Amino acid sequence: IIGSSCAGKTTTAFSIIARLRKAGVHAEGVLSSDRVYNFDSSKLDYLDAAQCYVILQQAFLECRNEVRDDIDVIVCDRSSLDFFAYYRHFFPSPDNAYYSALEQFSLNWIKTYDAIFYLPPITWVDDGKRPASEIRDAVDATIQSLILQCEYPIHNLSHISDINDREDFIYKTILET
């Protein structure tokens, strides 16, 4: 599940995992890795290596679950593409040493997923964990531009406004996949 902050990704991921487990599917999640740091998270907006860590940590967590034999489905509430959109927001210069490597990595890593679902932003919540609304909106625009660069089909759920209908669509698509 991809999208900017406050799109309902984590809530949707928890719901999907619960529904899959109830249906007898062993589902695990890679959830909110952007909120788990071994460093000062305030550095995300000025230290490009911190953003790099978050992108690569996401891929690591996904791989850690992928190699397990007992998991049928992995549901992620973020992707390296989302995180690269934040990186691009804070470090917009393609001349940066990390920039092109992370861009190529993120655009290619997305191909490792069986299905990708884009959720548009919903009402912003100031809970002290999310970036400001202006950052969220800018990052969402970047995510949408990155989606257009992807050579991989992405389910754009912008046309589904009801949260339950979005969850139903994702759940059914995962079962079909």
Side-chain angles (χ1 to χ4, degrees):
I1 301 171
I2 65 173
S4 63
S5 293
C6 217
K9 297 178 309 300
T10 303
T11 301
T12 300
F14 275 118
S15 177
I16 297 299
I17 291 166
R19 288 177 71 176
L20 288 167
R21 287 177 178 173
K22 191 173 183 178
V25 177
H26 185 175
E28 292 291 336
V30 175
L31 303 170
S32 298
S33 64
D34 60 324
R35 296 183 190 152
V36 180
Y37 303 109
N38 293 327
F39 57 86
D40 180 357
S41 62
S42 67
K43 295 177 181 178
L44 286 172
D45 61 353
Y46 71 88
L47 185 62
D48 57 353
Q51 285 283 354
C52 183
Y53 171 84
V54 171
I55 292 168
L56 297 175
Q57 178 72 7
Q58 179 70 25
F60 167 77
L61 293 172
E62 292 170 13
C63 286
R64 186 176 66 184
N65 281 342
E66 183 66 30
V67 298
R68 290 181 49 189
D69 292 336
D70 61 331
I71 298 175
D72 300 316
V73 175
I74 302 167
V75 178
C76 304
D77 71 344
R78 287 279 191 188
S79 76
S80 59
L81 192 72
D82 307 45
F83 290 128
F84 179 72
Y86 280 93
Y87 179 91
R88 182 184 274 181
H89 175 76
F90 290 114
F91 308 99
S93 173
D95 298 331
N96 179 307
Y98 290 117
Y99 188 97
S100 69
L102 292 173
E103 180 179 45
Q104 288 304 310
F105 174 81
S106 297
L107 289 170
N108 283 295
W109 188 258
I110 205 89
K111 296 175 188 176
T112 68
Y113 301 145
D114 293 320
I116 303 167
F117 306 93
Y118 164 75
L119 301 183
I122 55 177
T123 305
W124 184 73
V125 177
D126 185 5
D127 61 2
K129 297 178 185 176
R130 302 168 203 273
S133 180
E134 301 79 30
I135 295 173
R136 187 263 320 248
D137 293 343
V139 168
D140 184 65
T142 301
I143 290 170
Q144 290 185 49
S145 73
L146 289 168
I147 286 172
L148 296 174
Q149 292 179 326
C150 287
E151 298 173 2
Y152 190 88
I154 295 176
H155 300 280
N156 186 332
L157 278 59
S158 295
H159 64 286
I160 305 175
S161 58
D162 183 77
I163 293 172
N164 293 322
D165 290 344
R166 290 189 327 189
E167 288 179 9
D168 287 344
F169 179 86
I170 294 170
Y171 175 74
K172 289 174 186 174
T173 302
I174 289 173
L175 288 181
E176 291 169 4
T177 302

